[in-house]
Amino acid sequence: MTHPRGSAAKTAAMSAALSGAVDLSALKARAEASQKQPPAPPRPSAEGGATAGDAVIEVTEATFQAEVVERSLRQLVVVDLWAEWCGPCKQLSPVLERLAAESGGAWVLAKVDVDANPRIAQLFGAQSIPTVIAIGGGQPVDAFSGALPEPEIRKWLGSLLDALRDKLPGIAAAEQNGGGVEQPEDPRFTEAEEAFERGDFAAAQAAYERILDVEPANEEAKTALSQVKFTARAEAAGPDAIAKADADPADLDAQLAAADLEVAGQQPEAGFARLIAAVRRTAGDDRNKVREHLVALFELFDSADERVMKARRDLASALY
């Protein structure tokens, strides 16, 4: 599931938590002792930029120290925790790969399949995927979770490169050769993202809807709009929503709010089961209201997610 984006404070809290929980100091010390030379710079392509093969590397538990910790002593390393079954990962990874290739070696993308390398995900305490962690100087420096829009990712990368330029010589070297990250150019997305970050979900929703009015097929805006709507509902639910719903199964609004909170809390099976049970108890307009809410929750996930597939089968059974 795409982890719902919260306020700037929540993003900062997540980054701080990762930085505090992940201790790479022992790996860093070994790296500094054994790796005195910088990694080879990316080979230029025929067009003069780094190739995707140079800028994107597959990392395993066995190669993590060399490819992530040691590299991060010289250049920014962005770790992408992903899995084959994760729909949002399939949206995010191609964007990261393209931006890494465009950077000309200012940073490198380290892709980690969490199913094949679970200890790396455990090391970072990742609660959901996709999760992206920036590593500089042997330690995590920032992170985000979820498939963010490309303009927001560009802004995030630009801030990191500015902050680390004097500490990681590989960044300055790449920029001298023409690499780097362009700043976002689409003011429509900037408007929507700024509204979202300040917690004005209505304004963010309106901004994304304006984009879709002009570009109905804009998948980036569609995904972001779904996230905005879900996050607004989940934050409005309140911490006692689940208790209220459990106390009164006949209160449909309480059931919907509780399901949102459960999905936001990485308990989608519980949220799906709650609404399927509500479908079984209702009829007519009430049943349709619950069904539509459940289908909207499904859309936050990859259609091939086993949890969604099971819930769809259970929903069909409840309806027919």
Side-chain angles (χ1 to χ4, degrees), residues 14 40 46 56 61 67 107 176-177 191 253 270 300:
M14 175 188 176
V56 181
E61 292 167 0
E67 297 286 22
W107 59 281
Q176 289 175 0
N177 291 328
E191 175 191 359
D253 288 337
L300 297 169

Side-chain angles (χ1 to χ4, degrees), residues 288-308:
N288 193 52
K289 178 179 180 180
V290 177
R291 180 191 63 79
E292 289 179 350
H293 195 99
L294 180 57
V295 170
L297 291 180
F298 290 161
E299 292 174 353
L300 297 169
F301 296 77
D302 177 29
S303 60
D305 189 309
E306 292 182 1
R307 298 166 298 183
V308 172

Side-chain angles (χ1 to χ4, degrees), residues 140-160:
V141 293
D142 205 353
F144 69 83
S145 188
L148 302 187
E150 181 175 329
E152 189 166 338
I153 297 173
R154 285 181 176 273
K155 185 184 298 184
W156 182 73
L157 288 167
S159 297
L160 286 170

Side-chain angles (χ1 to χ4, degrees), residues 87-99:
C89 297
K90 295 175 183 177
Q91 299 173 15
L92 177 65
S93 290
V95 175
L96 292 173
E97 291 169 9
R98 176 164 47 80
L99 294 179

Side-chain angles (χ1 to χ4, degrees), residues 243-255:
K244 287 183 178 179
D246 291 343
D248 186 2
D251 186 339
L252 284 188
D253 288 337
Q255 299 306 315

Side-chain angles (χ1 to χ4, degrees), residues 6 9-11 13 18 29 68 102 104 122 124 131 133 135 142 154 158 161 186-187 206 224 249 252 260 275 302 311:
K10 288 184 178 178
T11 302
L18 269 175
V68 175
E102 289 177 5
Q122 293 168 6
F124 290 112
T131 289
I133 307 103
I135 311 293
D142 205 353
R154 285 181 176 273
L161 294 174
D186 193 332
L252 284 188
D260 285 340
L275 296 188
D302 177 29

